[in-house]
Amino acid sequence: MLDALYKPKSVAIIGASTKEFSIGNRIIKNLLDFGFKGSIYPINPKADEVRGIKAYNSILDVSDEIDLAHVVIPNKYVPQAIEDCGKKGVKVAIINSAGFKEIGGEGIQLEKQVVEKAKEYNVRVFGPNCQGIINTSSKVRAYCNFTFTKPEKGCISIVAQSGGVGEVINQRFSELGVGIRMYASNGNACDISIPEIIKYWGDDEQTRVIVVHVENLANPKEFMEAAKEVAAKKPILGMKTGRTKEGAKAVSSHTGGLAKVDIATELIFKKCGIVTFRDQEELCQAAIAFANQPIPNGKRVGLITNTGGPAIIATDEFVEAGLEIPPLSSNAKKILKEKLYSAASINNPIDVLATGGAEHFMAAMDVLMNESHIDSIFINFVTPFFVETDAISQEIVEVNKSQKKPIICNLMTDKRQWTETMDILKNGGVPCYSLPETAARALIAMTRYNDLKARESGKVTTFNDVDRKKAKSIVQKAKDAVRGFLSQEDVNNLLASYNIPVAKWKLVNNGTEAFKVAREIGFPVVIKVDAESIVHKSDVGGIALNLKEEEVESAVKDMEKRFAAEKPRFFVQEFLSGGRELIIGAKAEEGLGHLIMFGIGGTYVEVLKDVVFDITPITAVEAREMLSSIKSYPLLSGVRGEKGVDQKRLAEILQRVSQLVTELPVIQELDLNPIIAYEDRVFVVDARIRI
Ligand code: ADP
Ligand code: MG
């Protein structure tokens, strides 16, 4: 569907310029230099030719069909240019011109006009305010872009929201001698979106790896759907920038996005199965391995080395990332004992010794390929002057041909002297790195992709024992009363309608009532002040805990005095002692649903910051994962003879909260803090809901 964009047979440049240092000139130069296979039509009413190619007054004067048009003219003329494109039957327009949404005000209006014209005239738009695309295929050679990096042919496709980041990644691949397949940087993305491009590459056989850079997701749902589908077929390596508040601000001022700290995008990446990076170098290095090697089926690494130290560094990296270095089978050891030098180490890592030659490497690789409990092979290869290193490279390449298990090589050498040794590996498709940690991280990334792919998150459970009608009416009532926060009573009833257990409670007007109710509930009890103006009760001394029979009335009297101005009522609640205080929260995210949070709760939640997030709706597996991903998980599972808490019930409550906010999207924030959990029971004791 994006064939006209990526495989154009003809390209027009509206705003082609005779000035050397202009975008309208540069694009033509790039197309020519890159060996574009189609025809080029410069459009310029004032010139007869641009870069030696006949120029036209208007795109409508060109008799040939035009697939793709660059628009490189001042912003206010762009809507008209799109109309002309439509009349001419142009399929896609790349609007390189800036001065749209990113400048705000009239720019936003202009971009709207562009979108309207494009719809009316059936032209797809890429951009505006963008670089363009590249297709390295020898049948196309489209460099519809004004930048400078001329990539080699390869199987990595790059899409970057920021042209700057895209160019840096493209350039880095060039320096590393790695080719790319296609490239896209679509700027404001008013029509053709990153998800659409990802989907297109999902179907492009020559694209083996997709690299995605985003600053913010215009349409998170669309992104999730596309990325999930494609990541199941081929690896997507993702990077999200603008993670800090300051960074996000920088994003908003240069791409017209929203200034907000965005934790949702990384969660989305994870949920789609995208391998996430925080570092461009690490991403590029990993991409090389993904481009050449099969994905490991698990996290068990077999190492071969001919030098000690670097193998230790790699081992540390693997173990810290949760990978395993399992011992070898006795049969494997027997073979190695026979074939390697007697001083060699026949454990994992296998140390073939610096004097080890091609036959020793061969034996070690053979053994690891045949060990069914080894998923990937890491070779640590230093090039001593006294062995035939070219022969070792040839053996590695030979074994690599089977593509049965991934082989990653840390090649420690002087690249000027051992060029042949290095080239044999490179041409044989064995990814080589100069540092053990770089090599290890590339393999770790591949293993992460396998984990993400193998992850069965299951289906979302819908609880049908909930009273949706009642829940809706509670929310509606608060909406009608234009209340931001629901009353405590409403909150408790709402939770109860979703079968979320709340500690026994009752609302009363005075001390006498409180005493009566407390007797029904059972002592000791808690008294909490309840008034619309009070949000954080303990901050203002509105909580009296652990009250005995004789203390209830006076506690209420005292609060009546102190909070007289708020005209309060009072909550009587059973006092729950000795449980773990936990928190569950939810927050609406534009275009996405809600983020849901779980962690250690109570009054120290901001201090401890031991919380994790996910995106609703969550499945049982995801709820369980949330519980086990907090740092203090041992507190939930039981530590030093102390009992753990009812995790099954907690996971269910998480899912019920997820369902509640999903079914009641007007809820902006929900905060259950604390939830008190015991070995066999869990209760919410305090909750706030904002609509
Ligand atoms: P707020 O968050 O408005 O200050 P909470 O109702 O959360 O008020 O109460 C503050 C703290 O008091 C809780 O974190 C918890 O430690 C304790 N607490 C509140 N209710 C109970 C209860 N029913 N049983 C035991 N402890 C409670
Ligand atoms: Mg609280």
Side-chain angles (χ1 to χ4, degrees):
M1 65 225 167
L2 293 181
D3 281 353
L5 176 66
Y6 276 101
K7 298 167 186 170
K9 292 198 180 67
S10 50
V11 175
I13 296 89
I14 301 177
S17 169
T18 49
K19 277 183 244 142
E20 172 93 37
F21 296 106
S22 67
I23 291 180
N25 188 284
R26 183 74 191 198
I27 290 170
I28 297 173
K29 177 176 172 9
N30 282 345
L31 282 165
L32 292 170
D33 290 354
F34 207 56
F36 178 52
K37 299 290 180 198
S39 342
I40 303 171
Y41 296 100
I43 311 298
N44 179 339
K46 289 188 208 130
D48 296 331
E49 49 131 35
V50 178
R51 284 201 168 266
I53 306 170
K54 177 181 159 42
Y56 293 77
N57 236 328
S58 152
I59 195 163
L60 297 164
D61 297 341
V62 180
S63 53
D64 191 6
E65 266 186 37
I66 294 177
D67 288 334
L68 172 67
H70 276 276
V71 180
V72 203
I73 52 178
N75 59 355
K76 59 174 188 255
Y77 304 118
V78 172
Q80 181 60 48
I82 297 298
E83 183 174 329
D84 290 349
C85 284
K87 286 179 178 155
K88 173 66 193 151
V90 171
K91 297 185 189 86
V92 189
I94 296 180
I95 304 176
N96 301 99
S97 310
F100 294 90
K101 196 173 84 186
E102 79 283 2
I103 61 162
E106 60 161 341
I108 298 177
Q109 291 312 313
L110 262 179
E111 193 165 310
K112 270 195 191 140
Q113 283 177 37
V114 165
V115 172
E116 278 161 21
K117 286 275 186 211
K119 277 219 179 91
E120 187 183 341
Y121 288 92
N122 207 16
V123 181
R124 298 297 314 269
V125 174
F126 187 94
N129 180 32
C130 75
Q131 273 183 2
I133 64 103
I134 302 171
N135 182 356
T136 61
S137 157
S138 33
K139 286 194 216 123
V140 185
R141 304 300 295 167
Y143 201 106
C144 300
N145 197 324
F146 58 81
T147 55
F148 47 84
T149 305
K150 300 281 150 51
E152 295 291 319
K153 251 171 69 178
C155 61
I156 304 170
S157 290
I158 309 165
V159 58
Q161 190 170 1
S162 152
V165 174
E167 181 71 3
V168 166
I169 293 176
N170 192 11
Q171 181 60 33
R172 188 68 187 122
F173 282 133
S174 254
E175 285 167 6
L176 292 165
V178 176
I180 72 157
R181 164 76 175 159
M182 293 188 204
Y183 176 91
S185 182
N186 61 345
N188 294 9
C190 76
D191 174 22
I192 295 174
S193 64
I194 290 180
E196 191 175 352
I197 295 164
I198 292 177
K199 260 181 126 159
Y200 181 70
W201 290 342
D203 297 330
D204 174 45
E205 258 172 50
Q206 320 289 328
T207 295
R208 198 163 155 178
V209 187
I210 298 172
V211 171
V212 181
H213 162 261
V214 297
E215 285 161 350
N216 49 46
L217 298 174
N219 186 340
K221 285 218 167 113
E222 184 196 4
F223 182 90
M224 265 175 104
E225 263 164 41
K228 208 173 192 168
E229 182 191 313
V230 175
K233 287 193 279 195
K234 53 183 86 170
I236 305 181
L237 315 189
M239 185 154 163
K240 141 87 189 155
T241 51
R243 294 185 300 260
T244 58
K245 216 189 311 169
E246 290 75 7
K249 249 186 222 150
V251 172
S252 81
S253 50
H254 98 100
T255 345
L258 295 156
K260 63 177 174 196
V261 182
D262 183 358
I263 41 169
T265 305
E266 285 194 3
L267 290 173
I268 291 174
F269 277 10
K270 184 179 146 207
K271 228 168 171 140
C272 306
I274 295 179
V275 188
T276 309
F277 294 82
R278 289 200 160 199
D279 177 314
Q280 293 182 77
E281 178 66 9
E282 206 170 313
L283 183 152
C284 290
Q285 297 287 3
I288 301 173
F290 277 102
N292 283 308
Q293 293 297 311
I295 304 298
N297 286 325
K299 54 184 174 195
R300 300 160 301 181
V301 189
L303 289 92
I304 302 170
T305 187
N306 60 354
T307 173
I312 297 173
I313 294 179
T315 303
D316 281 346
E317 288 287 333
F318 288 135
V319 173
E320 274 169 10
L323 275 64
E324 291 160 15
I325 320 284
L328 302 181
S329 68
S330 52
N331 186 39
K333 283 186 188 165
K334 206 178 106 205
I335 299 172
L336 290 172
K337 196 161 188 165
E338 250 165 53
K339 300 204 168 164
L340 301 186
Y341 288 130
S342 59
S345 166
I346 53 171
N347 292 312
N348 190 10
I350 303 169
D351 189 344
V352 296
L353 304 182
T355 43
E359 70 278 20
H360 300 104
F361 273 87
M362 181 69 197
M365 283 186 288
D366 252 358
V367 158
L368 293 183
M369 277 291 174
N370 291 326
E371 286 281 85
S372 59
H373 69 294
I374 295 289
D375 303 304
S376 54
I377 299 176
F378 183 93
I379 301 178
N380 198 48
F381 175 19
V382 71
T383 53
F385 62 88
F386 42 77
V387 293
E388 266 191 67
T389 54
D390 293 359
I392 296 175
S393 283
Q394 264 146 9
E395 288 299 357
I396 297 174
V397 166
E398 208 42 53
V399 175
N400 182 52
K401 278 185 187 151
S402 78
Q403 293 275 302
K404 217 168 90 185
K405 293 176 186 178
I407 299 179
I408 303 289
C409 184
N410 174 42
L411 180 67
M412 293 164 295
T413 191
D414 176 356
K415 297 185 176 78
R416 283 160 307 190
Q417 291 186 61
W418 272 269
T419 17
E420 184 63 19
T421 304
M422 197 173 66
D423 286 349
I424 293 170
L425 286 173
K426 219 186 135 214
N427 297 334
V430 178
C432 287
Y433 298 91
S434 319
L435 290 169
E437 41 282 74
T438 318
R441 282 177 203 155
L443 181 53
I444 290 165
M446 293 182 90
T447 310
R448 249 164 49 210
Y449 174 64
N450 180 61
D451 282 351
L452 287 166
K453 242 178 93 161
R455 188 168 168 266
E456 275 295 341
S457 55
K459 283 215 159 54
V460 174
T461 313
T462 305
F463 299 96
N464 281 319
D465 56 358
V466 304
D467 190 345
R468 292 189 179 86
K469 230 170 102 189
K470 187 167 158 207
K472 277 223 171 83
S473 82
I474 292 171
V475 171
Q476 191 56 46
K477 203 179 78 192
K479 239 171 120 182
D480 294 345
V482 207
R483 258 193 97 135
F485 284 99
L486 264 59
S487 74
Q488 192 65 58
E489 190 179 16
D490 282 351
V491 169
N492 285 2
N493 286 327
L494 185 57
L495 294 176
S497 68
Y498 271 76
N499 273 338
I500 296 166
V502 181
K504 263 188 255 161
W505 62 278
K506 208 141 206 188
L507 192 56
V508 299
N509 293 300
N510 53 47
T512 326
E513 276 181 39
F515 181 73
K516 228 181 89 194
V517 164
R519 281 180 81 169
E520 287 162 29
I521 288 177
F523 294 99
V525 294
V526 179
I527 300 289
K528 299 184 184 183
V529 69
D530 182 47
E532 195 173 340
S533 54
I534 300 174
V535 179
H536 294 284
K537 300 175 289 293
S538 44
D539 288 356
V540 295
I543 303 258
L545 295 169
N546 199 6
L547 301 176
K548 296 193 211 74
E549 200 161 347
E550 60 276 17
E551 295 167 331
V552 172
E553 282 196 71
S554 61
V556 172
K557 283 222 173 81
D558 172 51
M559 283 192 206
E560 269 175 336
K561 231 182 277 160
R562 284 190 290 124
F563 298 108
E566 331 290 337
K567 300 206 167 54
R569 292 205 283 173
F570 303 92
F571 256 92
V572 185
Q573 194 175 50
E574 69 178 309
F575 176 72
L576 299 168
S577 64
R580 287 259 174 251
E581 294 199 15
L582 306 170
I583 184 170
I584 292 178
K587 181 174 160 285
E589 274 290 306
E590 214 178 284
L592 188 65
H594 291 79
L595 288 182
I596 185 164
M597 179 184 87
F598 169 77
I600 297 298
T603 33
Y604 292 143
V605 60
E606 272 91 10
V607 183
L608 298 171
K609 288 202 178 89
D610 188 8
V611 292
V612 292
F613 294 86
D614 205 335
I615 299 164
T616 60
I618 56 165
T619 65
V621 173
E622 288 164 336
R624 281 274 178 177
E625 275 177 5
M626 286 184 83
L627 299 185
S628 58
S629 343
I630 61 167
K631 288 199 270 314
S632 322
Y633 177 65
L635 295 183
L636 304 186
S637 56
V639 65
R640 309 204 108 188
E642 270 181 33
K643 299 231 162 83
V645 301
D646 188 345
Q647 293 184 54
K648 205 168 150 227
R649 192 82 182 109
L650 267 176
E652 186 190 318
I653 294 173
L654 267 169
Q655 292 172 79
R656 285 182 182 272
V657 169
S658 157
Q659 182 176 336
L660 186 152
V661 293
T662 306
E663 291 178 350
L664 297 165
V666 298
I667 294 179
Q668 293 304 301
E669 274 171 31
L670 171 150
D671 191 14
L672 312 183
N673 183 27
I675 293 170
I676 297 189
Y678 300 96
E679 192 191 357
D680 54 352
R681 295 163 296 150
V682 179
F683 297 102
V684 176
V685 306
D686 184 36
R688 256 181 287 285
I689 292 177
R690 193 171 65 78
I691 57 167

